[in-house]
Amino acid sequence: MLRLLSLFILGSLVMAAPAHGAASRCPKGTDAIGPKHKPRACVPRSLPAESPTALKGLVKGKPNRRLEALAMRMLGARAAQAGPELPPGVKLIESDGAVELRNQAGDGVTMGSKRANQAPGCPKANGDVPAKYDETMTFGFADAKQGKRTWTLITMRYEGPWSGHVGVDAKAHTFDLTPLRGEISIKSGVEIAATGKVLKRNPTRTYRTALTRSAIPVGVDPVSLLREFTVRGPKGSRGDDTDREVAGKLLGFAVWALSDIKTALKEGDVRWHDQYACAQRDYTASPEKVVKGGRADWSVRALAEDGTPVTDARWGMSSGCGAISAESASGPTVQVGVVDQAGEWIHGTPGACAVIGATTPAGRIPPIFSTIPPVEPKRYRYDIKIDYRKSMGPGIAETLATGTGTFTTGPGEGSTPGTGTFSGSEWDGTAVNSCGKDMLRTRTFTSIVAVGGEIQGDQVVIGFTAVERAFDAAWIETFPVTGGERTIESRAPFCGTPNLALRTAKISVKATPVSG
């Protein structure tokens, strides 16, 4: 990944004091760490592309341009799992992620780039995202003259565990460094070009830096953190211009590491927030089928990728087919209810529905789009029983009768006729036994019946008429589609006396589901 990173004037660093007298000012193109007249490090204002060649400026001398260009191509080709052919007289040596090219004269260039990062996976239930940063770059070259080969090898490494922290909005907010360590080592020596026999091995110069810090905002400018790094040079001191330059570049390279961590968390946000790739959910919905005017309920809990319940969540709920109990909630679980206030959950409609989503420290859960269908329309056989009584008071025979009827129907079938009977006993009023004579004498009777009904939505309309007694025994009543019972009272005249007769009808309707 290529970047051009601008660095600005930085504050002082915690480090050992220079080993000897006052040092010169930092060169142009760098910013002083510490007092300008006595800088402790000189940080370049800009860094080149993130590649091994960024280390080239830390050593004196110029590498073989032809070998350098070829080495860069070799690194790129190796990343693409291909390899350019080597020109005649050039030897390739590969070791631990680095390539070394040597020509016949003994000149050489070494380049390497190795990444052993552990990218952040899915957040834990509490939002922690453990990861590891580990990147190494190598650059070196050798110059062969008069049978001697003078070589220098620079290795720069930044490594350390870190942890991101995802908030309840399912986005990373901060990260911890525990710690992030950086190191530049410079090795050099002289050997016989033909045999590799060591003539001189210079002491290794090692520069180290480290930062331990918690709750660093993801949006932080990496440059602003450089002043917080501790830096140590060879044997704990940096006393000359070269030491300050190397220490400054080591700090500058920390910007690469911090920027990579920020990028890793931003890419993580895409996975666990935008793509719903981490957090999960578990839910139940009831009942299995809904009825007109009924209620549906959902119980939902949010889970991390490993199935652990999350520590918190922010919920959003909506419904386009009923009144929802709440549009938002907080906590790891939520209960959602939807009520059919408009009476629209009937056959042919979606029934109950709800859309439920949440953000959690473990990521954003895949939204729930859930529906519960209405009960399927059923055909019923309706059995009707009517207990009828007509009372005119003491001394007058009552009318006692029983009516029965049955019919079978279903939704959309319209009015369906059935069969039935109506029979009982009553005062035997005749021309010779008129009102005021023998009022206790009775007779029996039977009447043909007109009976039937029609299902209308979640109700059934029942009609029952004793044809020969239509004045006393005729009813049109509405019951739930599943049946019911009610008692009806009314007054009627008798023997010329208004409202003398009290008519009572107990109507029972039994609904039995049938197939076909």
Side-chain angles (χ1 to χ4, degrees), residues 301-381:
R301 63 173 183 163
L303 309 171
E305 184 198 34
D306 62 3
T308 305
V310 301
T311 56
D312 200 1
R314 295 294 179 268
W315 300 89
M317 300 83 73
S318 64
S319 176
C321 50
I324 198 161
S325 56
E327 294 183 350
S328 62
S330 60
T333 63
V334 70
Q335 307 294 323
V336 181
V338 177
V339 177
D340 180 26
Q341 291 184 342
E344 296 176 343
W345 294 352
I346 60 175
H347 178 62
T349 68
C353 63
V355 179
I356 306 170
T359 59
T360 80
R364 191 176 172 199
I365 70 167
I368 298 170
F369 300 93
S370 179
T371 60
I372 303 178
V375 293
E376 295 85 356
K378 294 181 179 179
R379 301 189 81 243
Y380 292 92
R381 184 186 75 244

Side-chain angles (χ1 to χ4, degrees), residues 403-442:
T404 60
T406 183
F407 66 93
T408 300
T409 189
E413 297 184 20
S415 180
T416 303
T419 59
T421 63
F422 188 76
S423 60
S425 63
E426 62 182 357
W427 171 61
D428 185 18
T430 62
V432 296
N433 188 31
S434 58
C435 292
K437 295 183 178 180
D438 187 355
M439 301 302 292
L440 295 177
R441 191 169 72 184
T442 62

Side-chain angles (χ1 to χ4, degrees), residues 201-257:
R201 181 64 60 87
N202 297 317
T204 300
R205 298 182 65 79
T206 302
Y207 302 80
R208 294 183 177 90
T209 185
L211 174 61
T212 300
R213 182 173 161 181
S214 301
I216 301 172
V218 172
V220 69
D221 179 0
V223 174
S224 68
L225 296 175
L226 297 187
R227 62 173 58 91
E228 301 184 34
F229 278 82
T230 60
V231 178
R232 292 293 181 268
K235 298 182 181 179
S237 65
R238 294 190 313 280
D240 58 22
D241 293 343
T242 299
D243 285 340
R244 282 188 294 277
E245 180 184 1
V246 177
K249 283 202 172 183
L250 178 57
L251 281 177
F253 294 147
V255 176
W256 285 345

Side-chain angles (χ1 to χ4, degrees), residues 441-482:
R441 191 169 72 184
T442 62
R443 64 187 178 196
T444 60
F445 66 87
T446 299
S447 174
I448 61 174
V449 169
V451 62
E454 178 180 3
I455 292 178
Q456 298 179 356
D458 58 354
Q459 296 180 321
V460 60
V461 179
I462 302 293
F464 187 101
T465 300
V467 176
E468 297 175 4
R469 280 167 169 69
F471 177 74
D472 282 330
W475 299 274
I476 297 177
E477 297 293 330
T478 300
F479 290 87
V481 72
T482 53

